[in-house]
Amino acid sequence: MYTTTGLAGELNNGRAAGAASAAAAAEGGGADGMESLARSVFEASFGQATVVGSVVRATEKVDVVSVDVVTSQRDFTRDTKRRIARTVVVQLAEEQAQARVVSSGVAVDVGSESAALQSATDARLRVVLRNEQTKRFVEVWRDGQLARSHDVTAAHGRFYSDTTFGSLAWSNDNSHVMYAAEQPEHDSGDTRQYVAEASEDWGETFSGWRAPVLVALRLADGVAHVVETEPGVSPGQALFLPGDGNRIAYIGYAHGARRPGLVYCQNRPSALFVGALNGAASDHTCVYRGAVRSPRLTPSGAAIVFLSTAVGGPHAAASALMRYTLATGAVDTLVPVVDCAANKSSVLDGVHLPAGFPGLFVDQLPHAPWLRCSGAVDREILVLTSVWRSTVAVVSVDVSARRVMCHSPVDGTAAAAVLGCGGDTVAAVFSTPAAPGKVAVGRAVVAGDHVRIGWFHIGDDAAAADESNDHPDITWSIVPVSSQHRDAACECIFVRPTAPAASTRKFWPAGSAEHERPLVVMPHGGPHSTYTLEYNALAAGLARLGFGVLLVNFTGSLGFGQRAVLAQIGHMDTLTLTEIQAAAAAVYDMRLADPRRTVYVGGSYSGYTGALLAARAPGFYRALVLRNPVMALADNAAMTDIPDWCWAELGLQYSFDAPPPLTPAVYAQMWAASPASMVDDVRDPILLLLGAGDRRVPPAQSRGYYARLKAAAKPVQCRVYPSVGHPLDSIEAERDSFMSIARFFAAALAEDGSTSP
C-alpha cells in the first residue's frame, strides 16, 4: 500500500494539536490499544457471512421445500472473499412462522464457479462456467456427477458473470447453453488491435475487459460459436425463446461516440433485441429502445418483461416494468413510473398500487421471479425487490389482475430482498443494520385479486448458523428530516450502540449518557442511491466502537418517488448540504449525540459534499474522512468513465451521441461548484482514502487537492490503495481504511479529552 501523509501549521480554530495527534496515531500502532480494538471490531463487523443467492424448489411433500443458499464471507487469513453453498431442506408448518430444518447439507466452497445454472426442464442437469487462470471450461453435471467438461479457451476470452452482461441459459431441449464472454483476442499480427474501439472497455469494474459476445455451446461435441448480434452494441442478459431453440433475446448496450461506464448506471442507451441463434446480424430486430435491462420470459412463454428507465439524467431513478408480447410485437406498461407516493391505495394508469408505494426502484429482477400458485397456475405473478423509502421490500406484480402488493415490513424494522421463486414459494433474505440477513421462505396464496405471502424464517441455515448473528449490541431508528424544498424527501437511519460496552470504551465509555455519544454523519454516494435497513458493515463497525452513525437519505435518494429524484438535479452543491446539516441537527434535538463530537464519513458524491462542508461549515466537524471524493468537476469530466454525470447533476444537457465540449463557461460553472476551488477555507482535519484503480472518480483530482492543502499547512492525510477501484472493496483496503478511520477519529476527538485512553 502506498501512503502519503501531511500535517503542519496552526489553525484558526485552535485544533492544530489535535490534528497533529491524529496524524501520529494514524501512522503508528497505537500504544493505547486502539490498534487491537479496531482490528477486532473490524473482523466482527466485516467478517459476517452475507446471503448472495438462493434457489428454492418443491419436493414430493407439499409442506417441504429444498433451499440452496449461497453466502459470501471474508477470509481474513487469505485476504479473499469466499462463496459458500449449502442445501437446506425445511418443513413449513402453517401454525408457526419458523421453518423446521429437516436436513442441512455440507457447506461447499463454490468460489471457482463463474456462474452456474440448473436446467428448468431437467432438474438433474446443471451447467457450470469456470475461469481457471489462463483457461476456461464449461462443465455439465448430471445427478451430481460430472458428465462433460469442455475446454472453450480457444473460442473466446473470460466469462462475463456480472449483472450487466452476464448470461447463462439452457436451450429448450437442453442441447445448448448460451453465455456471455470476452470476444476472441486479435492475433498479434492483426492491425485491428490498434484501433481505438478495440481497446475501449465499459469503465469501472470492466477495466481491461474486451467487449462481450454471446457464445452458444453445443453440449454433445463441445463446439462453441460466437452468436452474430446487432452491430454497434455490446450484448448481454441473453435468454432462449420458446420454440426450436433458435430464437433468442438479449439486451444490447449502445456504443455511441464513446462507451460510458455502466456499473451503478441504469440510464444508459440500450435496447431489447430478438434474433436467431444461428442467423446473421441482419436477422436481429430491435423491439424496444431506451434504457432497458433484466429481460425475463413469462411462464406462459408468450411475452418478455423487462425494466425501463429514462435515458440520461440521473444515473438511477424510478423504473417502469414493461412487457413485449412475442406474437404481436406490442409493448405495454405493466407498472408505470410513480412521481410521488400516495397516502392510500390508488390506481395509476389502470394499475392498482398499495398505500405508500413510491414506484419501482430496482436494479435487476431476480433470475427466477415468477410464482406459480396452486389453483391459479394461469396467473402470472412476478416478485421482485424494490427500494421503499429507507428500506427494501418484497413486492409482487400480478400481471393478470394489474395489481402491485407489498409483502414485507416497511415500518423501519427490517429490510427484505427476494432471492428467487419456485412454484408457490419464494426465498428472501431479511436483514437489519445490526446483522446480515437470514433466509426466509414465503408461501404464496392467491385469493381473488390479491396475493398473500406467509413467511417462514429458517432457524438453522447457511446464513444463520447460530444466535450470534442477532447482535443485540446495536439498535437503530428512522429519523425524519424537514427540508425547505417543495419536492424534498429526506430521512435518515440512525444506527448506534445499545449501551456502553467493552468495544465502545475509547469513544463512549461506561457511564456515558446518550447525548454524550460521538456522531458520525455518513450520507450515501451517488447521489441517486439509498441507505436501507440492510446490513452495512462500516456503519455496524463504527457503532460497535461507540459512535452513533447517521445514514443520511437526502432529497434525490431512490425510493421516495421520481419527483424527489429529479428535485436534486441542479442542486448538487446546495440542497444536499443543507439537508445533511439538518439531519445532524435533528439528532442533536433528540439528545442522542454530542454536537461537539461530530465527525464525517463520505464516499464518491458524499465525499464531494463532505469536502464542500469542510470549506463552507468549518468547525462543525471535528474531522472528515473522504473516500474517493469528487474534488474538481471539470477534471473529473475529462477523466471519469461517466462524464455525463458532471453535466447531468448540474442540470446541464448531455448527449451520448454527441458529447458536449467542456467550454470555458461550463468549466467556470463546474469550478464554482468544486471543493478544489475552496481549499483556502478548509480548517478541520481531513483523511483521504483513495483507490489507485478508480475509474469512476480517478484519484488525480484528490491528489491535487491533497497537495494544495499540504502546501497551505492544512491538516490533511492521504492513503492510496494500489489496484483498488471505486468501492475500496479489497479486504486490505477495507481493513486499513477502517483502522485508519478509527485512529484518525480517536486523535481528532482526543483534543478535549473526549476519547478515553
Side-chain angles (χ1 to χ4, degrees), residues 450-461:
H450 291 73
V451 179
R452 309 292 184 195
I453 298 179
W455 294 104
F456 301 85
H457 293 270
I458 300 176
D460 181 20
D461 62 13

Side-chain angles (χ1 to χ4, degrees), residues 56 90-100 371 383-385 392-396 405-409 415-421 424-430 438-445 451-458:
V56 58
V90 297
Q91 183 178 31
L92 311 180
E94 296 295 339
E95 65 277 5
Q96 55 185 340
Q98 193 78 6
R100 185 178 70 85
L371 283 173
V383 184
L384 52 83
T385 305
V392 289
V394 176
V395 173
S396 69
M405 296 188 69
C406 181
H407 302 283
S408 62
V418 176
L419 299 169
C421 299
D424 64 352
T425 58
V426 53
V429 57
F430 284 72
K438 293 185 177 182
V439 174
V441 175
R443 170 149 283 166
V445 176
V451 179
R452 309 292 184 195
I453 298 179
W455 294 104
F456 301 85
H457 293 270
I458 300 176

Side-chain angles (χ1 to χ4, degrees), residues 556-571:
S557 301
L558 305 181
F560 296 84
Q562 179 71 347
R563 191 179 300 165
V565 173
L566 298 178
Q568 198 264 357
I569 298 297
H571 304 287

Side-chain angles (χ1 to χ4, degrees), residues 352-482:
H352 296 266
L353 306 177
F357 178 62
L360 293 178
F361 291 88
V362 184
D363 185 41
Q364 302 288 342
L365 297 174
H367 288 287
W370 299 102
L371 283 173
R372 303 299 298 274
C373 300
S374 58
V377 292
D378 294 333
R379 292 273 284 275
E380 295 189 328
I381 302 167
L382 182 144
V383 184
L384 52 83
T385 305
S386 186
V387 181
W388 190 307
R389 296 187 71 88
S390 295
T391 192
V392 289
V394 176
V395 173
S396 69
V397 179
D398 189 332
V399 175
S400 306
R402 293 180 64 79
R403 183 179 296 275
V404 176
M405 296 188 69
C406 181
H407 302 283
S408 62
V410 290
D411 58 359
T413 56
V418 176
L419 299 169
C421 299
D424 64 352
T425 58
V426 53
V429 57
F430 284 72
S431 57
T432 71
K438 293 185 177 182
V439 174
V441 175
R443 170 149 283 166
V445 176
V446 175
D449 288 341
H450 291 73
V451 179
R452 309 292 184 195
I453 298 179
W455 294 104
F456 301 85
H457 293 270
I458 300 176
D460 181 20
D461 62 13
D466 54 53
E467 294 301 318
S468 64
N469 279 335
D470 290 330
H471 295 301
D473 56 330
I474 294 176
T475 188
W476 66 93
S477 57
I478 302 295
V479 177
V481 179
S482 60

